[in-house]
Amino acid sequence: AQSVAQPEDQVNVAEGNPLTVKCTYSVSGNPYLFWYVQYPNRGLQFLLKYITGDNLVKGSYGFEAEFNKSQTSFHLKKPSALVSDSALYFCAVRAGVGGYQKVTFGTGTKLQVIP
Amino acid sequence: DAMVIQNPRYQVTQFGKPVTLSCSQTLNHNVMYWYQQKSSQAPKLLFHYYDKDFNNEADTPDNFQSRRPNTSFCFLDIRSPGLGDAAMYLCATSRDTGKQETQYFGPGTRLLVL
């Protein structure tokens, strides 16, 4: 079975400060990890993904995420937060051996960037 | 721009009255998914199509059905909506079902059941 944990329901950060949204995972086999962002009353937008290779993945809107196998984490980061980054962020994982594996989403973290 | 389109964006129906939500895509992706999302919770997969092959999740109620008449369109039919079915319904597509494949989401349809 695979699972994703986002330990913080909400993260508050001042505009211009660095932000981190945490994600840890549990899988059998190699993980494929994704971050999505959801603005109010909108669908999910893909930000970035880790498949293999470089542990630091760069994505859309200046976001990046660091894959840490030993800590089974895939935290989302941005050096300087914008008010427009305020949204709901979902971490997701897909893994398993053979066959079809559906995506498992975390419960989401609400990011609030304070002007 | 290639995209995933959902209509309508907002749908109001009455308790027990059948309702259909639609999704179309211009990405020419093989796979289309339907998710249910309640009040900022994680999206819950209802089912997906790989081409014309339908794959139902084990815990999806029989009240929910789907049709995919062609590559571009996929429909979600709720046969007898209950108050508990009020939610955001998200359609998504991916090129294939490989683990590395990104899913692309539509804007969602918010369903209200009166």
Side-chain angles (χ1 to χ4, degrees):
Chain A
Q2 58 189 31
S3 65
V4 175
Q6 293 183 242
E8 302 157 315
D9 290 336
Q10 181 159 336
V11 169
N12 296 322
V13 63
E15 186 177 24
N17 282 3
L19 69 88
T20 299
V21 182
K22 295 180 180 178
C23 172
T24 59
Y25 65 90
S26 175
V27 300
S28 299
N30 294 322
Y32 296 81
L33 295 153
F34 303 81
W35 274 103
Y36 289 86
V37 60
Q38 186 176 32
Y39 297 97
N41 292 312
R42 304 291 297 181
L44 277 66
Q45 294 180 32
F46 169 72
L47 281 178
L48 50 81
K49 66 181 176 183
Y50 171 81
I51 300 174
T52 186
D54 195 350
N55 289 343
L56 185 63
V57 180
K58 294 188 181 297
S60 305
Y61 311 121
F63 284 94
E64 58 189 27
E66 186 169 11
F67 172 67
N68 188 316
K69 188 173 183 178
S70 63
Q71 296 185 7
T72 62
S73 67
F74 189 56
H75 300 332
L76 182 70
K77 299 182 180 184
K78 187 174 183 180
S80 179
L82 301 173
V83 172
S84 57
D85 293 329
S86 299
L88 188 60
Y89 290 80
F90 288 98
C91 181
V93 69
R94 216 172 190 177
V97 180
Y100 169 76
Q101 292 289 337
K102 69 179 181 181
V103 175
T104 297
F105 287 90
T107 52
T109 298
K110 183 178 180 181
L111 174 67
Q112 189 75 38
V113 181
I114 303 163
Chain B
D1 288 340
M3 58 176 57
V4 182
I5 302 160
Q6 290 188 246
N7 287 305
R9 294 293 314 281
Y10 299 89
Q11 176 73 57
V12 181
T13 191
Q14 292 178 333
F15 183 93
K17 184 175 181 180
V19 66
T20 295
L21 310 182
S22 71
C23 176
S24 64
Q25 53 129 344
T26 60
L27 297 160
N28 204 32
H29 282 174
N30 290 315
V31 192
M32 296 187 77
Y33 308 81
W34 279 104
Y35 286 88
Q36 180 192 65
Q37 185 184 27
K38 294 187 175 182
S39 59
S40 299
Q41 296 177 16
K44 178 181 180 298
L45 182 64
L46 296 173
F47 26 61
H48 77 275
Y49 273 94
Y50 185 95
D51 196 11
K52 294 184 178 181
D53 292 333
F54 177 71
N55 298 272
N56 199 29
E57 291 299 303
D59 58 353
T60 298
D62 292 340
N63 197 28
F64 292 88
Q65 303 287 324
S66 186
R67 297 170 283 134
R68 189 179 185 187
N70 54 53
T71 301
S72 300
F73 285 87
C74 194
F75 300 98
L76 171 62
D77 300 309
I78 308 177
R79 294 193 296 187
S80 182
L83 297 178
D85 296 328
M88 174 76 91
Y89 289 88
L90 299 170
C91 175
T93 73
S94 65
R95 185 183 56 177
D96 211 312
T97 55
K99 300 181 183 69
Q100 76 282 3
E101 293 291 338
T102 299
Q103 293 186 357
Y104 296 90
F105 286 81
T109 294
R110 184 167 293 282
L111 178 67
L112 181 62
V113 181
L114 301 178

